[in-house]
Amino acid sequence: MTMSDNPAHDQSAPPAPPPSATPPPAYGYGNGQPMPAVPGHDQFARPTGPVGLIRPTGITILLFIVTLGIWGFIYYYQVFEELRRHTGRGLGGVIGLLIAIFFGVINPFLLSNEVGALYEDSGRPKPVSALTGLWYFPGMLILVGPFIWFVQTNNALNDYWRSLGAR
């Protein structure tokens, strides 16, 4: 028996058809059907709550100094509460205030992280993150660190509110 007598080696057989150009359906939801909606799945991706207030950085720093730091507690309460109302998640004003009173050094890290998350949720690069809190502590050892932290974080928050139409 020669190779030409073997049907498996027949040169005249048509070639196999090329693989399909369409990819297989993802996650088993084929036939043009969209994936089923998951209730509440994208509630964090698009904040829809009320827009917060713009707080002028210089005036806020002046209030911190004139009130010997008391304005800081008011600031933390207001900002954390605005962020929770806007996004539907986060610490909220009362928890932010309690953390400021009992564990004050943690709040700069938390606030910068929440402000950065606002940008991330809207698909923009984060201008601040929890690492920005390092300007506050141990940055306070160079005295200007807390000012640098506050200017960066408050300006990022103000810019976010302005992008949503706040004045």
Side-chain angles (χ1 to χ4, degrees):
M1 180 185 232
T2 63
M3 288 182 79
S4 61
D5 294 336
N6 186 350
H9 290 81
D10 188 10
Q11 302 286 341
S12 63
S20 173
T22 59
Y27 305 107
Y29 297 102
N31 303 330
Q33 297 174 353
M35 289 184 64
V38 177
H41 173 68
D42 64 342
Q43 70 184 9
F44 300 126
R46 293 181 211 111
T48 58
V51 176
L53 299 175
I54 293 178
R55 292 174 176 80
T57 303
I59 292 173
T60 307
I61 290 174
L62 183 64
L63 286 170
F64 272 82
I65 294 169
V66 169
T67 63
L68 303 175
I70 294 172
W71 186 257
F73 296 123
I74 297 167
Y75 176 83
Y76 281 129
Y77 175 82
Q78 290 176 341
V79 170
F80 278 116
E81 187 63 22
E82 286 175 356
L83 292 172
R84 188 189 57 74
R85 286 184 182 165
H86 180 67
T87 63
R89 62 182 162 97
L91 296 176
V94 173
I95 302 296
L97 177 61
L98 291 174
I99 291 173
I101 292 169
F102 296 108
F103 309 102
V105 75
I106 296 174
N107 260 3
F109 296 92
L110 296 174
L111 182 58
S112 294
N113 187 57
E114 285 200 24
V115 172
L118 288 174
Y119 281 84
E120 193 172 54
D121 289 347
S122 63
R124 297 185 276 175
K126 299 189 309 187
V128 293
S129 68
L131 291 176
T132 308
L134 291 173
W135 277 110
Y136 189 87
F137 183 82
M140 67 176 51
L141 300 175
I142 60 171
L143 300 179
V144 296
F147 293 103
I148 293 170
W149 163 79
F150 184 76
V151 168
Q152 288 182 346
T153 302
N154 195 60
N155 285 345
L157 184 59
N158 286 341
D159 291 344
Y160 179 80
W161 294 138
R162 275 189 203 97
S163 75
L164 298 179
R167 297 189 184 269

